[in-house]
Amino acid sequence: MDVHDEFIPEETFGACLDALPQVCVEVLLERDGEVLVARRTNEPAKGEWFWPGGRLYKGEELPAAARRIAREELGVDVELVDRIGVYSHFWDSSSVSGADSRHTVNIAYLVRQTDPDAAVALDEQHDDYRFVSGGEDDLHDYVREYLADLDLEA
């Protein structure tokens, strides 16, 4: 099957998000026993420190989506270390017209940069990043859930 990454008109996308969960892939970039979180500039979770991630395209394999998202949102190439788990998020906001809330099903991958010296270059969905270990007070509950499931010794 071909990958369908075409633009979806906002009205159509909003109607889909209003009626159905959205499948997303998230990347947890590990470096020196910590993982990257990026501060979001858009809803849902605007202003929160969260994992880079995005929707799965029709026909796209999950590992390919994880590598694509790392390139698009962080500007780095990655190798997949492990699939951490599958999560379900419920948001009371959305950045898409026609959807007042959002339900996402998130497949999370632990990844490492193929070139550890390459600089992270954030896309427009994020305005800052940092590496965390889980002891930080300002992490979203969903991030804490992932960190509890994460084995950084993998």
Side-chain angles (χ1 to χ4, degrees), residues 70-129:
R71 278 191 311 277
E72 290 176 357
E73 297 195 18
L74 301 175
V76 296
D77 290 319
V78 297
E79 63 178 338
L80 306 184
V81 176
D82 195 11
R83 188 165 63 195
I84 303 304
V86 178
Y87 303 86
S88 196
H89 298 171
F90 301 92
W91 305 101
D92 291 329
S93 62
S94 176
S95 62
V96 180
S97 179
D100 296 330
S101 62
R102 191 176 275 191
H103 172 196
T104 59
V105 176
N106 310 72
I107 299 101
Y109 282 91
L110 180 65
V111 302
R112 291 194 183 109
Q113 289 179 235
T114 56
D115 177 359
D117 297 324
V120 170
L122 297 175
D123 68 354
E124 70 283 349
Q125 298 178 81
H126 309 96
D127 65 5
D128 199 7
Y129 74 92

Side-chain angles (χ1 to χ4, degrees), residues 8-21 94 96-102:
I8 300 170
E10 188 163 354
E11 182 177 313
T12 303
F13 193 45
C16 291
L17 293 178
D18 196 43
L20 301 166
S94 176
V96 180
S97 179
D100 296 330
S101 62
R102 191 176 275 191

Side-chain angles (χ1 to χ4, degrees), residues 2-13:
D2 292 335
V3 174
H4 295 273
D5 62 350
E6 301 88 5
F7 174 79
I8 300 170
E10 188 163 354
E11 182 177 313
T12 303
F13 193 45

